Amino acid sequence: MTLATTFILIGRIVFGLFFLIAGLRNFAGFKTRIPSKTNYGWDLPPPIVALGFAMQLIGGLSLVLGFWTIYGAALLIVFLVLATAMYHNLFLFHGKERDPHLYLVLVNITLAAGLLQIIGLSL
């Protein structure tokens, strides 16, 4: 194994752990996550919230184990796009209220870009 492949492996596992830990924490605190009010003022039904947490778990586990990595990374990208649209829509906020959402949108875009790199390396 070359140094480059070792770094890629470590990076993929750490990336996967980020989502795996987030999913586990979200499920552990599920009762505190309900109701889950979106930026649009309506609550997501608990099964939909659970589906989002499951996407984090499954995608993260896929990256950690290196099993169906492309599908796991794609699932996480879908999760990030949906979560960003529902909880961090920049166009609904103004002034200082926008700042944390701008930060989280940029974080989610960066995470999605990293997942695209994982997909590219897995092809």
Side-chain angles (χ1 to χ4, degrees):
M1 184 179 288
T2 68
L3 186 59
T5 56
T6 301
F7 285 163
I8 290 167
L9 175 65
I10 292 169
R12 191 192 76 228
I13 291 170
V14 170
F15 215 134
L17 284 172
F18 172 83
F19 286 101
L20 184 61
I21 292 167
L24 289 170
R25 288 178 49 101
N26 284 331
F27 270 122
F30 190 75
K31 288 185 181 182
T32 64
R33 305 285 197 272
I34 303 299
S36 182
K37 190 170 289 302
T38 68
N39 288 160
Y40 306 98
W42 40 269
D43 294 334
L44 281 180
I48 300 297
V49 175
L51 178 63
F53 297 163
M55 291 170 79
Q56 289 179 304
L57 281 174
I58 293 166
L61 196 58
S62 169
L63 297 185
V64 168
L65 298 177
F67 185 71
W68 288 359
T69 307
I70 293 171
Y71 298 110
L75 181 68
L76 291 169
I77 290 171
V78 169
F79 167 79
L80 289 168
V81 168
L82 294 174
T84 302
M86 286 189 281
Y87 294 101
H88 306 297
N89 187 336
L90 291 176
F91 302 108
L92 298 176
F93 300 94
H94 302 285
K96 288 292 181 188
E97 282 186 326
R98 180 181 279 181
D99 290 348
H101 295 283
L102 174 61
Y103 172 77
L104 292 168
V105 166
L106 293 173
V107 167
N108 287 353
I109 289 170
T110 303
L111 289 170
L115 291 163
L116 287 173
Q117 289 182 341
I118 288 173
I119 291 171
L121 290 168
S122 300
L123 293 175

